[in-house]
Amino acid sequence: MAEPTTMETPASAIGAIKRREPSTPASTDVGKPSALTPPASSSSSGRGHAHGLSDNDIFGETSEEMDQDRLKQIAAAGNAHFHRLGWKRLAIITIVEAVALGALSLPAAYHTLGMFAGVFLTITLGFIAIFTSWIVGQVKLKYPETASYADAGRLLLGRFGYEVFGVALVLELVMVVGSHALTGSIALADLNDGRTCSIVFSAVSAVILLILAIPPSFTEVAILGYIDFASILAAVGITIIATGIQARDSPGGLAGVGWSAWPKEDVTFSQAFVAVSNIIFAFSFAIGQFSFMDEMHTPAEYMKSIWASGLIQIAIYTLTGALCYAFIGPSVRSPALLSAGPLISKVAFGVALPVIFISGSINSTVALRYIHGRMFKNSVLRYVKTPKGWATWIGLVILFTLIAWVIAEAIPIFSDLLSLASALFVSGFSFWIPAIMWFKLLCRGHWYSKENLPISLASMVAFVIGAVTLVAGTYSTIVDIMKETNEGSAHSPFACRSS
């Protein structure tokens, strides 16, 4: 469904920029020259009127060669371009940024935890993720200059928090993009029956991720998100229907499938918590929420998108996990579409290709909007409206994607490293950091007062979930890394591997 957008005129856009000028320490522009206030001598520099300047003459907005009117035109157009996102498109972006093929790993998690615990945790953690995303949105509304999670770190811990949160954000997202390149290679290799070396498909996947990350605005990315969302539903639907038909036609029918409501026998703590972590990390949409909301034309409507996104994710995860496990039973694989048989897995992988690449590219855009905006915070280049602005943006997209691909291919234990980064960072971005934000940035009066107590208690629950995930998830991943290293099962760098 197309969504109405609101485009500001240059004059109103300039006014909007002025209204959005930072007034708290969270801004990176405090005390620095503004793009909208060039030196007074710029209009009489002898370079000619604004309409005589070409974009090729523009490198930075603090240049004395730039005419003030031309500068304002670029700033106004850039501001209008990056404030067109509505709540419907935001919902689509958060869904596809979080879901990807991770939904099809949940049936295996349900086998480890049992049907009852799997369904209970999926629904409960989903609503807690909605709650913490509400907190993140409230922080954005109160501190509108907070354009990324790094800025939120500045609100909490000053410059130190800004740097730490920024590094964590980029590290997590660069590895997620690398993971999508590897997943793409697995899907393409499966479609190719393994006749081509996986590293070729991995490189092809990286190129596709690079191309899809070129649009700098989330409003444009959301158009791809509709394709991604349809792809998610189709891949999940094909897998559920195929496994259901197989279960019906198997000896004993559906009643003969050996699923269990309780955890599997002899499950270890590490195995159980890896399964729990798969559910927790499935609700990781808060990591990009500051960046997404920064483009909304009406930020106050963000909860419509969070409710829509959260409830749809809960439904997809619960139905996928429960139905696939009930149809496949103890032999379920991860992702579950591998349990649907060779032909159906090829069909599902083919349908799921947009999920792999579009979801991955959105993570690139979140990271690069932070990096590019920080590099050119006092330059019109940050609006990506001039040739040199586009050159710097595309250059960063290429560099970021290349780094992600090299890390994914070069590190033998990359999958475990990604799990470790998720335990360290996603647990914070989605759970325990929003809880701290409530107490430090939003709560007014005593936390135990009548009006604050329900939110404070919910924040404590979110903090505990995040802290337990941080500690237990890190421990479980380290145990798995040690096991993989001792067994020598890690892959060699830049080597062909089977899917």
Side-chain angles (χ1 to χ4, degrees):
M1 182 187 304
E3 188 166 296
T5 58
T6 59
M7 295 293 293
E8 297 177 274
T9 63
S12 63
I14 294 171
I17 297 175
K18 291 180 179 179
R19 289 194 297 275
R20 290 170 58 86
E21 285 183 351
S23 58
T24 75
S27 172
T28 58
D29 296 335
V30 174
K32 297 180 181 179
S34 169
L36 303 179
T37 55
S41 60
S42 63
S43 60
S44 59
S45 60
R47 298 282 294 181
H49 190 268
H51 299 290
L53 290 175
S54 71
D55 288 343
N56 292 316
D57 298 324
I58 300 169
F59 184 75
E61 51 184 290
T62 57
S63 170
E64 291 189 359
E65 283 111 15
M66 176 166 305
D67 185 276
Q68 187 176 18
D69 289 341
R70 178 60 176 153
L71 185 80
K72 289 181 178 180
Q73 289 171 8
I74 295 174
N79 180 73
H81 183 75
F82 285 105
H83 289 90
R84 299 178 297 149
L85 189 64
W87 73 265
K88 297 184 185 73
R89 289 187 178 180
L90 175 58
I92 290 294
I93 289 177
T94 53
I95 290 170
V96 301
E97 189 266 343
V99 175
L101 285 184
L104 292 170
S105 69
L106 295 188
Y110 278 31
H111 169 51
T112 301
L113 300 171
M115 184 74 79
F116 175 79
V119 171
F120 175 79
L121 286 173
T122 302
I123 296 174
T124 303
L125 291 170
F127 279 105
I128 292 175
I130 291 173
F131 166 72
T132 55
S133 292
W134 172 78
I135 292 178
V136 169
Q138 290 299 304
V139 172
K140 173 63 179 174
L141 293 181
K142 185 174 181 179
Y143 303 92
E145 72 280 0
T146 309
S148 70
Y149 229 119
D151 290 328
R154 187 191 292 272
L155 289 173
L156 293 172
L157 298 171
R159 180 60 183 268
F160 175 77
Y162 178 72
E163 300 296 345
V164 170
F165 280 39
V167 169
L169 179 73
V170 173
L171 282 178
E172 171 64 19
L173 293 177
V174 76
M175 285 193 284
V176 169
V177 174
S179 175
H180 279 265
L182 289 185
T183 305
S185 72
I186 293 172
L188 293 173
D190 186 79
L191 293 172
N192 183 251
D193 289 323
R195 292 190 297 268
T196 304
C197 178
S198 62
I199 197 168
V200 174
F201 288 131
S202 177
V204 169
S205 298
V207 172
I208 296 173
L209 287 165
L210 186 160
I211 293 172
L212 292 177
I214 288 177
S217 167
F218 293 118
T219 305
E220 292 145 356
V221 172
I223 298 173
L224 295 174
Y226 288 109
I227 301 172
D228 192 319
F229 184 55
S231 177
I232 291 170
L233 296 180
V236 168
I238 289 170
T239 304
I240 292 174
I241 293 171
T243 54
I245 293 173
Q246 290 176 2
R248 184 199 62 188
D249 295 340
S250 64
L254 294 174
V257 180
W259 64 270
S260 173
W262 311 110
K264 68 178 183 179
E265 295 181 3
D266 303 323
V267 63
T268 66
F269 172 81
S270 179
Q271 291 172 333
F273 202 82
V274 167
V276 174
S277 297
N278 284 338
I279 300 175
I280 291 173
F281 299 146
F283 294 104
S284 59
F285 50 91
I287 189 171
Q289 190 174 333
F290 283 114
S291 302
F292 299 150
M293 287 185 64
D294 201 52
E295 280 200 20
M296 292 188 74
H297 55 69
T298 313
E301 293 185 341
Y302 82 99
M303 271 311 295
K304 295 179 182 179
S305 68
I306 297 303
W307 276 115
S309 172
L311 292 176
I312 289 173
Q313 287 183 58
I314 290 172
I316 290 175
Y317 294 148
T318 305
L319 291 174
T320 304
L323 291 177
C324 286
Y325 178 42
F327 292 153
I328 301 169
S331 62
V332 64
R333 299 171 64 185
S334 181
L337 57 82
L338 294 174
S339 301
L343 176 60
I344 297 300
S345 69
K346 282 184 171 59
V347 173
F349 263 133
V351 171
L353 287 177
V355 181
I356 298 169
F357 297 126
I358 295 174
S359 295
S361 67
I362 290 175
N363 288 285
S364 294
T365 306
V366 173
L368 291 170
R369 285 290 300 278
Y370 159 68
I371 296 171
H372 193 266
R374 177 171 179 169
M375 289 176 62
F376 302 108
K377 58 180 174 288
N378 291 319
S379 168
V380 287
L381 297 185
R382 73 180 184 270
Y383 295 120
V384 197
K385 297 294 289 184
T386 65
K388 289 183 179 178
W390 275 108
T392 55
W393 173 259
I394 293 174
L396 280 176
V397 172
I398 295 172
L399 181 61
F400 184 85
T401 308
L402 180 62
I403 291 173
W405 178 73
V406 169
I407 290 175
E409 284 291 342
I411 299 177
I413 55 170
F414 174 75
S415 295
D416 286 313
L417 189 63
L418 177 63
S419 298
L420 181 62
S422 296
L424 293 173
F425 304 143
V426 176
S427 62
F429 290 138
S430 295
F431 292 95
W432 63 263
I433 293 175
I436 293 176
M437 288 179 182
W438 161 253
F439 290 106
K440 184 167 183 179
L441 303 177
L442 299 175
C443 185
R444 291 292 174 261
H446 296 297
W447 68 267
Y448 50 81
S449 64
K450 183 178 180 181
E451 61 273 15
N452 290 331
L453 187 58
I455 300 176
S456 296
L457 291 177
S459 297
M460 291 178 187
V461 172
F463 181 87
V464 170
I465 291 172
V468 170
T469 304
L470 172 64
V471 176
T474 301
Y475 166 78
S476 299
T477 303
I478 291 175
V479 168
D480 198 52
I481 290 174
M482 294 173 62
K483 178 182 177 183
E484 188 170 335
T485 303
N486 292 333
E487 294 177 351
S489 57
H491 72 82
S492 300
F494 297 102
C496 298
R497 73 193 79 175
S498 63
S499 59

